[in-house]
Amino acid sequence: LAASGYAVALAPTVSFQGVPPDALTSAGVAIVPGDLQRHLSCSWINYDAVIISRPHNFERVGDVVRTYQPNAALLYDCEALFWRRLTLQSKFVTDHAACDGLLQDATDMRALEERIVIQCDAAVTVSKEEATLLAGVEGCCPIRTLLPAEPAVSLGMRTFDERFGVAYVAGWQGGSGSPN
């Protein structure tokens, strides 16, 4: 976005240790320091759009954005439907109580994620399947799918032992309980 000429600010949910990553600041991304509500409530701060990723972040700051930036388009980056991840994770748990807990968490998360797409102006998913699921929610905002494909990468026929060069592991900080 910054390379396309937009003024971009990032409000990290976890504080950077020391200075922000050079790649962000070098790309022209401003880092919002401190309390997001205080920042958004400043009379001279007027965003055209605010993008919130992940349901727990939306739950924490969605109302703050609507209150202090009422003219900003509120966009939700689904990244992945967390209720589906929890449901899939429950299939790998052998303890019945833990499985039931995950299924209840999935039910609660689905209600949250469906509420989010009703409250937003638009949302983005990473799969057509998830876009279809969300589009079925009554009162849902417009949904766009942005497939996470890298155009410079092509699939090959090499076996695992013959591969080299690139590895991608998502959610590596999620711990052993993560569906990743």
Side-chain angles (χ1 to χ4, degrees):
L1 291 171
S4 296
Y6 292 95
V8 177
L10 172 68
T13 57
V14 177
S15 297
F16 294 114
Q17 300 300 323
V19 284
D22 216 20
L24 289 175
T25 54
S26 295
V29 175
I31 307 301
V32 175
D35 183 58
L36 181 62
Q37 181 174 330
R38 185 177 302 124
H39 171 76
L40 295 176
S41 67
C42 293
S43 60
W44 61 89
I45 301 292
N46 294 296
Y47 288 104
D48 293 319
V50 175
I51 302 168
I52 302 175
S53 295
R54 299 183 174 199
H56 56 279
N57 291 327
F58 191 93
E59 189 173 38
R60 199 178 82 215
V61 299
D63 288 340
V64 170
V65 171
R66 281 288 193 218
T67 299
Y68 295 104
Q69 295 291 310
N71 298 320
L74 182 53
L75 311 171
Y76 179 59
D77 173 15
C78 296
E79 184 209 324
L81 290 178
F82 280 55
W83 69 266
R84 293 182 74 206
R85 292 169 47 156
L86 289 166
T87 301
L88 290 171
Q89 184 179 356
S90 74
K91 295 178 181 185
F92 294 100
V93 176
T94 56
D95 178 80
H96 292 295
C99 180
D100 290 345
L102 285 169
L103 290 173
Q104 182 58 56
D105 290 347
T107 298
D108 296 343
M109 185 59 67
R110 184 173 191 163
L112 172 60
E113 290 177 307
E114 289 178 351
R115 202 168 51 248
I116 289 171
V117 296
I118 293 169
Q119 295 173 351
C120 284
D121 297 310
V124 176
T125 66
V126 295
S127 78
K128 292 177 184 176
E129 180 182 1
E130 291 190 350
T132 300
L133 287 168
L134 290 175
V137 174
E138 186 176 338
C140 180
C141 64
I143 305 285
R144 300 270 188 200
T145 301
L146 296 176
L147 300 177
E150 171 56 51
V153 176
S154 60
L155 300 177
M157 300 303 292
R158 293 183 179 154
T159 66
F160 182 81
D161 292 332
E162 296 171 321
R163 296 180 204 158
F164 65 93
V166 175
Y168 175 74
V169 179
W172 60 275
Q173 291 182 323
S176 61
S178 170
N180 288 338

